Structure formats: C-alpha cells, structure tokens
Amino acid sequence: MKSVIIFCLFIMIMVIAQFANAQTVDDVIEKNIAAMGGKDKLATLNSVRMEGNLSVQGTDVNIVITKLHNVGMRNDISVMSTENYQIATPTGGTVFMPVFGQASPQPMPDDQLKSAQTALDLHGTFVNYKEKGTQLELLGKEAVDGVDCYKVKATFKNGNVTVYFYDAKTNLLLKTSTEGSANGEKVDVYTIYSNYKQNADGYWFAYTTTNSRGQTDFDKIETNIKVDEKIFK
C-alpha cells in the first residue's frame, strides 16, 4: 500500500512539473519582448538606419536599410557600379534593380511586399498582436543549428504567414521562415539572426543576418534619427 501511495505521489509531481514548464504562445512572445528591452523601451523606437555589407560569391554588396515606424522601409543596395533600391509601405512596394537589367522601377511582388510589411512596426511586431489582427500558434519546439527553439506560426492581417523560431534559453529570435516564389515555384524564404548587441541608444539588434543570398554584417545601426518620408515614394 505504501509503495502505491509513493508511486501516485511521483506521478502527481511529474504532472505538476510538466504544467509548470509548459509554455503558451503568449509566454514565448512576452519573454522575447523582454529580451529585446521591454515594451516601454521598444515604444520609444521610431526610426532605424542600418549599414552593412553582404558578400556574394566574392562580390561586396553595400546595404543601407532605413525604416520609419509604420511609414516605410527602404533598402538601398550598391553593387557592381549600380544603385538599386526596394521600398515597402503599408499601401504598396517598389523595386528598382538595374543590376538585374531593370530599366525602370517595378511593383514589388505581392509575397515579398506582404513579408516586408510585417517589419514596419518598430515597436515590436507582436506587441499587442491581437489588436493588430495577428493570429499566433505555438507549434512546439524545433532545433535551429543545434539550438533548442520555440516555434511560433504567425498569420498576419495582410495574409502573410511566417514561422518564428525563438531560442528557448535566451528568448531571442534566431530564425524566420516564410513561403515565397521564384521562377514560378514556391520556395522557403528564411533569415537567420545572430550576433545580438545593443547599439549606442540601448536598442537590441541582430548585427548579423544570413539567408539564401549570403551573410550580411551590419557595422553601424543608428536609431531615432530624422528620416524624410519622401525616400519611401
């Protein structure tokens, strides 16, 4: 009888421990927001300018990314003596890539635009996410390069679906994955984030990002600078 009681107590402890360690999607998101400085800190971020370099098959590509909170994002790309740009706003997007032979600006492809629009909110993509019409689903855990991560599926109001991978220990974002298209075929468009550091104003950023094109290293990230909205037109 005593052994039965002990066994039952053991089972109860295991069940309680499981519930104690269980994570909800809100737990994962709140911990990530805290790791990035917290809601109050993020609410003071209104603009960002990131300067970096991407090396593609031995060719250096200079990149400048400028964002203005919920207004627009512009990527300026200097490569092979050409000046290229990509612009995304809440209402549309434009791409001009003379390096690929484009003679004039073209509308940004729909899947690329929807993905870019999810990054326009500098105060935190998932801060007050329900009010923004975003749906989140915790898909369990999955390893990213050997790191245990929580896997969160986000369905945005504009129809974009992206999966986010958060480091289970640091709570920082390690990877995003969304569906795109190339030459008429569906492809996985992913980005891996690393080398997190605080800039001079105390905001956290991943100073290194990696995707199918290669690795981008940012050497300068300025925040709350004056940005002329005309650059998004």
Side-chain angles (χ1 to χ4, degrees):
M1 183 68 177
K2 184 177 180 180
S3 61
V4 173
I5 294 174
I6 293 174
F7 177 75
C8 290
L9 287 172
F10 174 76
I11 295 298
M12 288 177 64
I13 291 171
M14 292 296 292
V15 170
I16 292 172
Q18 276 192 322
F19 277 105
N21 292 326
Q23 295 283 320
T24 67
V25 69
D26 286 341
D27 290 334
V28 174
I29 295 305
E30 287 174 7
K31 287 180 179 180
N32 171 252
I33 292 171
M36 294 301 289
K39 290 182 181 180
D40 292 342
K41 179 66 175 178
L42 290 172
T44 65
L45 181 58
N46 293 312
S47 65
V48 177
R49 178 184 167 91
M50 308 172 69
E51 299 180 17
N53 181 269
L54 167 65
S55 182
V56 181
Q57 297 179 347
T59 301
D60 287 332
V61 181
N62 294 319
I63 296 176
V64 178
I65 301 174
T66 307
K67 298 181 183 181
L68 187 59
H69 175 62
N70 280 339
V71 173
M73 175 171 63
R74 179 182 176 116
N75 296 349
D76 286 290
I77 306 159
S78 300
V79 57
M80 298 175 64
S81 301
T82 65
E83 298 300 325
N84 311 263
Y85 64 81
Q86 300 171 331
I87 297 173
T89 71
T91 58
T94 304
V95 177
F96 180 48
M97 301 291 288
V99 70
F100 295 137
Q102 281 189 347
S104 61
Q106 302 294 324
M108 182 176 287
D110 190 55
D111 56 346
Q112 185 181 346
L113 174 61
K114 287 181 178 180
S115 182
Q117 287 172 331
T118 67
L120 296 179
D121 188 346
L122 301 183
H123 293 175
T125 303
F126 298 133
V127 172
N128 301 324
Y129 71 90
K130 293 178 182 177
E131 297 174 10
K132 299 172 184 175
T134 303
Q135 299 177 9
L136 299 182
E137 180 184 0
L138 182 60
L139 302 180
K141 283 186 174 182
E142 185 174 317
V144 175
D145 294 333
V147 178
D148 204 20
C149 293
Y150 287 107
K151 187 176 180 181
V152 176
K153 177 183 177 182
T155 303
F156 293 92
K157 193 174 182 179
N158 69 0
N160 172 266
V161 178
T162 300
V163 178
Y164 294 74
F165 298 81
Y166 296 97
D167 187 323
K169 290 185 178 179
T170 68
N171 302 307
L172 295 172
L173 177 66
L174 288 195
K175 180 182 177 181
T176 58
S177 175
T178 189
E179 188 178 271
S181 60
N183 300 320
E185 296 184 1
K186 293 181 179 179
V187 295
D188 176 34
V189 179
Y190 70 90
T191 302
I192 296 175
Y193 304 86
S194 60
N195 190 24
Y196 276 89
K197 295 186 291 186
Q198 285 178 295
N199 77 340
D201 295 325
Y203 297 100
W204 286 94
F205 292 95
Y207 275 71
T208 300
T209 61
T210 306
N211 54 33
S212 59
R213 295 186 297 274
Q215 178 175 299
T216 301
D217 294 301
F218 295 99
D219 50 41
K220 185 178 181 181
I221 299 181
E222 298 176 290
T223 43
N224 291 335
I225 57 173
K226 187 176 180 179
V227 176
D228 188 344
E229 294 187 22
K230 292 180 180 178
I231 69 170
F232 305 117
K233 297 179 181 178

